[in-house]
Amino acid sequence: SRQLPRLARLRNLLNMTIIGQGAEAIVSRKGKTVLKERIAKTYRHPTLDLTLRKSRTRREATILEKLAKLDFPSVRLIAMDDQTMTLTLEHVNGKKVRDVLNSKNLKLCREIGEDVGVLHSHNIIHGDLTTSNMMLTDKIVFIDFGLSFVSHKPEDKAVDLHLLKHALESAHHALYEAALKEVILGYKKGNPSWNEVFTRLETVEKRGRNKK
């Protein structure tokens, strides 16, 4: 792909340092600015790959713009370029919740639950709810909306919650039960339609158990 050398030159030109790389994107930083580059997938047909990366870049930008209008605590979008498949974002100066959550600050989980409830009340599905995608500043700030989408379906919201539960159990096993209780309390406050989501969550989890 010609894109990676071009983006590498862009990073060098801007004097940016790579701070993270996942399956979908490379994240670089300079000062208070972050550049997120959605990378090409050589195993996909080039036309399909281009279409998918362009649509996902646009979708993530659209959701970040909506979150800013809602004053939701999420990373802020500065610019979007769907030719280079890049998002320019404000750098969030804080620590990952994954690295700081402990038995003394479990109330953070109530804040997480409430924020996720607010997301769902506005029909926004994060798609990757882990404590690695939450930064602690003077509040919790959600990052990485690369898998996010809009949905009115309780099923999609239940799956989002299921992923969060799994992430808590995996990364914070010793705190899991207490943390989950706080998340549930917060979610009920953040999403007035919590009952239908929890009802669907039971179905989602039962379906998962039956597959084992």
Side-chain angles (χ1 to χ4, degrees):
S1 171
R2 296 179 181 178
Q3 186 195 14
L4 288 179
R6 183 169 65 246
L7 291 174
R9 288 196 297 271
L10 176 60
R11 280 196 300 271
N12 290 336
L13 181 65
L14 297 175
N15 194 27
M16 303 191 86
T17 302
I18 294 177
I19 58 173
Q21 181 169 354
E24 292 292 323
I26 297 174
V27 181
S28 309
R29 178 191 172 193
K30 180 183 179 183
K32 297 182 179 180
T33 302
V34 167
L35 187 72
K36 180 176 181 178
E37 312 160 9
R38 192 167 259 104
I39 57 179
K41 299 290 187 180
T42 55
Y43 60 81
R44 289 195 293 237
H45 187 279
T47 302
L48 174 61
D49 181 72
L50 183 65
T51 300
L52 284 174
R53 287 188 295 122
K54 183 168 290 192
S55 65
R56 290 172 181 175
T57 300
R58 289 174 175 172
R59 182 175 63 197
E60 185 174 0
T62 298
I63 286 177
L64 289 175
E65 287 173 343
K66 182 174 182 178
L67 292 174
K69 290 178 181 178
L70 294 172
D71 199 28
F72 182 82
S74 62
V75 61
R76 292 298 185 243
L77 177 70
I78 298 173
M80 182 273 290
D81 186 338
D82 63 4
Q83 298 304 305
T84 57
M85 314 300 175
T86 58
L87 299 176
T88 304
L89 308 164
E90 289 185 358
H91 176 252
V92 179
N93 188 24
K95 295 183 178 180
K96 291 181 179 180
V97 172
R98 176 176 182 137
D99 297 331
V100 297
L101 185 63
N102 58 54
S103 59
K104 296 180 180 179
N105 59 14
L106 276 175
K107 288 296 176 67
L108 290 175
C109 292
R110 189 174 302 195
E111 184 179 341
I112 290 169
E114 184 173 352
D115 288 341
V116 174
V118 171
L119 272 183
H120 289 177
S121 72
H122 288 93
N123 302 311
I124 296 173
I125 312 301
H126 184 279
D128 193 14
L129 284 173
T130 73
T131 49
S132 291
N133 286 333
M134 304 169 193
M135 304 293 291
L136 183 61
T137 59
D138 57 329
K139 59 187 174 183
I140 293 174
V141 178
F142 287 65
I143 62 172
D144 197 354
F145 284 79
L147 298 177
S148 63
F149 60 97
V150 174
S151 174
H152 293 73
K153 297 178 181 178
E155 169 86 7
D156 291 328
K157 298 170 186 179
V159 170
D160 217 23
L161 272 182
H162 176 68
L163 292 174
L164 174 58
K165 288 180 64 176
H166 180 73
L168 286 173
E169 187 174 20
S170 176
H172 310 281
H173 184 71
L175 307 172
Y176 173 66
E177 295 294 340
L180 182 59
K181 288 180 181 178
E182 294 294 335
V183 167
I184 290 172
L185 287 172
Y187 189 88
K188 288 181 177 180
K189 182 177 179 182
N191 185 7
S193 300
W194 63 267
N195 190 51
E196 62 178 355
V197 178
F198 283 178
T199 299
R200 180 58 64 175
L201 180 60
E202 292 178 6
T203 303
V204 168
E205 294 183 334
K206 183 178 180 181
R207 191 163 62 224
R209 289 192 295 270
N210 289 339
K211 287 182 179 180
K212 294 180 179 179

